[in-house]
Amino acid sequence: MKIGVLALQGDVREHVGALTSGGASATAIRRPSELDEVDALVIPGGESTTMSKLAIEFGMLDPVRKRIAGGMPVYGSCAGMIMLADRVLDGRPDQQTFGGIDMTVRRNAFGRQVDSFEGEVGLTPFEEPFHAVFIRAPWVESVGQDVEALGRVTDGAAAGRIVAVRQGNLLATAFHPELTGDLRVHRYFVEMARAAVDG
Ligand code: GLN
């Protein structure tokens, strides 16, 4: 199984590293022909408005949407979460997403002044809490009935906010596990993708 990391913009290298350490074969991709070669996709953190623009420029918007509709496993972190959202609040008017997860996310939800913030998140697939790093992160404002909330902030002003979700083969986190060396989310995604690809 080959996992692509969408390399239009963002922390691509960190995701390739985390996936590789998690036992997967991962490679940076940015063109439709390269997308055809992979079984699953990771959308990194970065800036969703820029990613949206580059996705259109590189002709990736429709090809990724089609693969998502076809059941390709995708994991998005932070800006990647925004790219997987069906609806975005506080986005730019011309901002596009791939969509796929029936959720509304709010960009820069933790406050524009708060550049980054760290906190514990309880994630249902894991026993131990996850030390999460949020950088100008979105949160999930609301979800449709087919979306499973996998994690919420446990303390502080944002306590209770949903920051990790899954809908079928799509997984998204508002935080950046690729930056902390905790491989549990990437391992979880690799397992999820293997199960989907192997049928
Ligand atoms: N605020 C960014 C956006 O809207 C996301 C930040 C991130 O990915 N660290 O895309």
Side-chain angles (χ1 to χ4, degrees):
M1 181 186 63
K2 240 169 97 178
I3 302 182
V5 178
L6 187 65
L8 297 170
Q9 186 266 336
D11 65 342
V12 174
R13 210 182 321 159
E14 287 78 0
H15 277 288
V16 172
L19 289 164
T20 308
S21 305
S25 157
T27 172
I29 64 155
R30 65 171 63 83
R31 297 181 187 284
S33 60
E34 295 167 329
L35 179 67
D36 293 343
E37 308 280 298
V38 299
D39 305 293
L41 185 69
V42 169
I43 308 174
E47 176 49 55
S48 60
T49 55
T50 309
M51 247 180 240
S52 155
K53 226 164 53 191
L54 293 173
I56 294 164
E57 253 167 56
F58 278 77
M60 285 296 262
L61 197 61
D62 286 334
V64 172
R65 283 179 176 163
K66 282 201 186 105
R67 289 293 303 273
I68 288 175
M72 173 177 65
V74 186
Y75 165 48
S77 76
C78 202
M81 170 184 255
I82 298 169
M83 293 302 292
L84 286 174
D86 282 348
R87 295 166 299 276
V88 179
L89 297 174
D90 294 339
R92 283 176 50 130
D94 59 347
Q95 176 167 9
Q96 303 283 326
T97 70
F98 300 124
I101 301 182
D102 180 13
M103 64 176 170
T104 302
V105 299
R106 185 178 293 282
R107 283 182 67 225
N108 304 315
F110 293 86
R112 276 174 196 279
Q113 300 81 349
V114 187
D115 244 27
S116 77
F117 133 86
E118 301 190 13
E120 304 305 310
V121 171
L123 289 170
T124 52
F126 315 131
E127 272 173 34
E128 298 294 319
F130 202 94
H131 185 74
V133 174
F134 296 88
I135 304 168
R136 291 183 294 284
W139 66 41
V140 179
E141 195 94 6
S142 63
V143 293
Q145 57 179 16
D146 294 333
V147 180
E148 195 187 343
L150 294 183
R152 294 174 191 268
V153 177
T154 53
D155 47 12
R161 291 292 180 179
I162 300 171
V163 288
V165 294
R166 177 170 176 180
Q167 180 175 4
N169 289 333
L170 304 177
L171 175 73
T173 63
F175 52 91
H176 293 269
E178 73 278 14
L179 300 181
T180 51
D182 186 335
L183 296 174
R184 286 179 292 168
V185 172
H186 287 84
R187 287 210 176 101
Y188 176 82
F189 177 64
V190 171
E191 285 307 304
M192 193 181 130
R194 277 210 181 106
V197 170
D198 297 344

